[in-house]
């Protein structure tokens, strides 16, 4: 869950930056709406798309995975004084608290609108069904409801308001607004999610404003009308408000010359960006399957030689894969790369500790003890333990593949051996044996 949340928010940050760089200044508001909603969809789906086999078979991406394993792979850090995860508890409590507060606010706004719709008088103005409000608030719409105070508008202004809000209704803009609000609730800690929500809301107003102008309203008169409502009280943020700020941007966009049609071609640049994000999203699972280089000491000479032999086998398999003439041959070569003696290095669904990565980190921090001998000698370092997760989730053949000191190695190995059963890895829907690496860093305060 934690890893998925991190990947989702990183994708949101990168995709939002890409949008601001390329699309935020053109007048293709319909295309922009699709891209903005696509950001949510892509960020949601990326962690589920599996291209681990391709990454493992490609020399360049495999090298990237190796670098990631050495530099970026999450690891457990054990200090001389036992680590307590009270800070993690505080983080989770704060996160859940933020969700509760924002969810309460969202539900309150929703109930307010529903209650206003049930209590206000429904009538027809210019053939459109509206709910008459008496409060000193600005006109707004929410799904198929339009709220307006006819007595507060002149006839010409009322027509513009109705056309504007009907555009929101006809184009289902409330769906965008509600989705943006829900994602903001879940990822409230990410400032980019708030910026994305704001971008979605202002783009919806661009669409409605353009519709008003296309219906024949005078642009200058309409802009003065907007300025006249700028200081009216706004209603719930989940609705589509007539006087959504900043008005300056809306007026500038109405007066801006239409972007040439050739500019639509730049939207194709989204494809390579999504492909790059897909590779990055899958790098971690491949990195966990890569064996870290052991230290060159007398006791690790045999593992080093075995590692070199395995690497040579993989390189040869990759070369054969490139020269394979048909799909069947390529699939057979790919199997040679990702599995050995029935034990896979990369599978469609990697093994998982009960409760996910955060629970694994908690388990290791709680159970790993810093050996007193190592503390006295001032020894510290990063131990990597490799094991096989069996088809039933059992831990098989745990061994140290990157040694630091016998006492540290022994402690890391002891805790791995005592781990509970994992959720087994799967390949083509079947449970399989999968290699897995866990790095444990011992550091002195």
């Amino acid at each position: 869950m934690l890893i998925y949340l991190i990947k989702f928010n990183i994708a949101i940050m990168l995709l939002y930056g890409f949008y601001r760089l390329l699309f935020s200044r053109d007048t293709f508001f319909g295309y922009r709406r699709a891209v903005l909603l696509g950001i949510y969809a892509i960020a949601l789906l990326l962690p589920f798309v599996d291209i681990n086999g391709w990454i493992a078979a490609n020399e360049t991406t495999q090298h990237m995975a190796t670098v990631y394993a050495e530099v970026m792979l999450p690891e457990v850090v054990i200090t001389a004084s036992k680590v307590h995860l009270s800070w993690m508890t505080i983080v989770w409590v704060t996160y859940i608290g933020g969700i509760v507060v924002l969810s309460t606010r969202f539900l309150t706004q929703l109930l307010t609108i529903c209650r206003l719709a049930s209590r206000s008088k429904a009538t027809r103005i210019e053939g459109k069904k509206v709910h008459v409000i008496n409060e000193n608030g600005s006109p707004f719409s929410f799904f198929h409801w339009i709220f307006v105070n006819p007595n507060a508008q002149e006839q010409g202004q009322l027509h513009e308001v109705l056309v504007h809000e009907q555009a929101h209704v006809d184009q289902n803009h409330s769906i965008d607004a509600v989705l943006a609000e829900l994602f903001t609730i879940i990822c409230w800690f990410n400032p980019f999610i708030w910026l994305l929500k704001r971008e979605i809301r202002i783009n919806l107003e661009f669409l409605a404003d353009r519709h008003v102008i296309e219906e024949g309203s005078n642009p200058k008169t309409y802009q003065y009308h907007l300025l006249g409502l700028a200081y009216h009280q706004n209603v719930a943020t989940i609705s589509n408000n007539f006087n959504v700020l900043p008005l300056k941007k809306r007026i500038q966009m109405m007066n801006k010359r239409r972007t040439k049609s050739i500019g639509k071609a730049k939207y194709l640049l989204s494809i390579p960006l999504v492909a790059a994000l897909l590779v990055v999203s899958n790098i971690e699972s491949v990195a966990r399957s890569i064996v870290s280089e052991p230290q060159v000491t007398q006791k690790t000479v045999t593992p080093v030689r075995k590692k070199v032999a395995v690497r040579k086998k993989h390189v040869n398999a990759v070369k054969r894969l490139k020269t394979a003439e048909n799909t069947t041959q390529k699939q057979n070569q790919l199997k040679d790369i990702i599995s050995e003696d029935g034990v896979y290095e990369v599978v469609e669904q990697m093994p998982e500790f009960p409760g996910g990565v955060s629970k694994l980190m908690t388990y290791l921090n709680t159970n790993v003890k810093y050996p007193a001998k190592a503390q006295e000698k001032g020894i510290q370092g990063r131990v990597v333990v490799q094991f096989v997760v069996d088809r039933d989730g059992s831990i098989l053949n745990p061994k140290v593949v990157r040694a630091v000191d016998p006492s540290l190695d022994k402690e890391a190995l002891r805790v791995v051996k005592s781990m509970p059963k994992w959720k087994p890895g799967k390949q083509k829907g079947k449970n399989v044996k999968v290699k897995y690496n866990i790095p444990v860093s011992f550091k002195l305060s």
Side-chain angles (χ1 to χ4, degrees):
M1 176 61 183
L2 179 61
I3 296 299
Y4 178 84
L5 193 62
I6 292 172
K7 286 183 177 181
F8 174 82
N9 281 277
I10 291 176
I12 288 289
M13 293 165 57
L14 295 175
L15 290 169
Y16 173 80
F18 185 75
Y19 168 86
R20 289 289 301 172
L21 181 65
L22 288 184
F23 309 133
S24 62
R25 294 180 180 84
D26 64 42
T27 59
F28 304 124
F29 305 132
Y31 282 79
R32 286 168 60 172
R33 183 187 182 190
V35 170
L36 288 166
L37 292 179
I39 289 176
Y40 290 132
I42 293 169
L44 279 174
L45 296 176
L46 271 178
F48 293 109
V49 180
D50 180 26
I51 57 169
N52 290 341
W54 179 82
I55 291 177
N58 186 282
E59 292 184 48
T60 302
T61 52
Q62 191 180 47
H63 176 70
M64 291 169 58
T66 303
V67 174
Y68 181 91
E70 291 293 331
V71 180
M72 297 296 294
L73 199 64
E75 63 182 6
V76 179
V77 179
I78 307 300
T79 57
S81 56
K82 182 181 177 181
V83 175
H84 296 283
L85 292 184
S86 57
W87 64 270
M88 181 64 77
T89 302
I90 294 173
V91 168
W92 277 111
V93 169
T94 304
Y95 172 64
I96 298 299
I99 290 179
V100 170
V101 171
L102 292 176
S103 298
T104 303
R105 173 174 169 266
F106 172 77
L107 292 175
T108 301
Q109 293 174 354
L110 190 61
L111 291 174
T112 300
I113 295 175
C114 292
R115 185 170 55 184
L116 183 60
S118 64
R119 293 182 178 182
S120 59
K121 177 184 176 182
T123 186
R124 285 194 171 273
I125 303 177
E126 297 185 7
K128 299 176 178 63
K129 183 180 179 180
V130 301
H131 290 263
V132 179
I133 55 175
N134 298 318
E135 291 86 354
N136 186 27
S138 64
F140 70 98
S141 61
F142 187 69
F143 286 96
H144 64 280
W145 295 327
I146 297 177
F147 299 86
V148 66
N149 182 1
N151 298 325
Q153 312 289 328
E154 297 178 2
Q155 187 60 37
Q157 294 177 340
L158 181 59
H159 172 75
E160 293 172 348
V161 169
L162 292 176
V163 172
H164 181 98
E165 299 305 331
Q166 191 63 48
H168 284 311
V169 172
D170 292 341
Q171 298 176 26
N172 298 309
H173 289 175
S174 291
I175 295 176
D176 304 44
V178 170
L179 283 175
E181 194 70 28
L182 292 176
F183 279 108
T184 303
I185 291 172
I186 296 172
C187 302
W188 60 266
F189 55 88
N190 184 354
F192 289 90
I193 209 79
W194 293 89
L195 293 173
L196 183 58
K197 170 188 168 182
R198 182 173 179 271
E199 200 70 36
I200 287 174
R201 298 304 305 276
I202 191 66
N203 189 64
L204 295 178
E205 297 307 316
F206 291 159
L207 283 165
D209 289 339
R210 169 168 289 181
H211 184 72
V212 173
I213 302 302
E214 289 175 347
E215 284 291 309
S217 296
N218 182 278
K220 295 299 180 183
T221 303
Y222 178 60
Q223 291 164 22
Y224 281 121
H225 182 196
L226 287 175
L227 292 172
L229 288 173
Y231 297 101
H232 285 201
Q233 181 182 0
N234 278 313
V235 292
T237 59
I238 59 173
S239 62
N240 295 297
N241 297 305
F242 182 75
N243 64 321
V244 168
L245 300 177
L247 289 178
K248 181 180 178 181
K249 280 190 176 182
R250 291 174 62 184
I251 292 173
Q252 286 176 339
M253 197 59 72
M254 278 186 272
N255 295 322
K256 188 174 183 178
R257 181 177 299 178
R258 296 286 184 92
T259 307
K260 294 181 179 180
S261 297
I262 190 66
K264 294 178 181 178
K266 66 184 178 183
Y267 284 83
L268 295 175
L269 295 175
S270 303
I271 297 175
L273 175 67
V274 173
L277 287 175
L278 189 59
V279 172
V280 173
S281 179
N282 282 262
I283 283 291
E284 184 194 19
S285 56
V286 177
R288 286 194 177 278
S289 69
I290 294 175
V291 179
S292 301
E293 293 290 347
Q295 289 184 341
V296 184
T297 61
Q298 185 175 0
K299 69 173 185 177
T300 58
V301 169
T302 302
V304 169
R305 289 175 179 173
K306 181 179 179 181
K307 173 65 179 176
V308 171
V310 172
R311 288 293 179 111
K312 286 181 178 179
K313 178 183 177 181
H314 283 195
V315 170
N316 292 335
V318 170
K319 290 179 179 178
R320 293 197 303 272
L321 179 64
K322 291 181 177 179
T323 58
E325 296 180 356
N326 55 56
T327 304
T328 303
Q329 287 180 330
K330 290 184 178 181
Q331 290 177 345
N332 291 336
Q333 298 300 338
L334 185 58
K335 289 180 182 178
D336 291 339
I337 296 174
I338 65 175
S339 64
E340 178 186 6
D341 300 329
V343 179
Y344 284 77
E345 295 185 357
V346 179
V347 290
E348 295 172 353
Q349 183 177 329
M350 293 297 288
E352 185 177 283
F353 187 84
V357 176
S358 60
K359 291 292 184 182
L360 172 61
M361 304 287 277
T362 302
Y363 170 82
L364 294 174
N365 273 286
T366 302
N367 290 277
V368 177
K369 315 293 181 184
Y370 207 118
K373 291 183 179 180
Q375 292 185 46
E376 294 172 359
K377 296 178 181 180
I379 299 173
Q380 56 185 350
R382 185 172 184 257
V383 179
V384 178
V385 179
Q386 183 187 94
F387 54 91
V388 174
V389 180
D390 203 358
R391 295 182 182 90
D392 63 353
S394 302
I395 304 302
L396 302 178
N397 306 324
K399 60 183 179 181
V400 175
V401 294
R402 181 171 181 173
V404 175
D405 176 79
S407 61
L408 300 184
D409 302 343
K410 183 178 179 181
E411 177 61 15
L413 198 59
R414 177 190 69 80
V415 175
V416 170
K417 288 180 178 179
S418 64
M419 287 192 301
K421 286 188 176 182
W422 284 44
K423 180 180 178 181
K426 291 187 177 183
Q427 182 73 7
K428 296 182 179 179
K430 295 182 180 180
N431 292 356
V432 293
K433 296 180 179 180
V434 185
K435 288 182 182 178
Y436 202 93
N437 295 335
I438 290 183
V440 180
S441 284
F442 292 86
K443 293 184 180 180
L444 295 171
S445 302

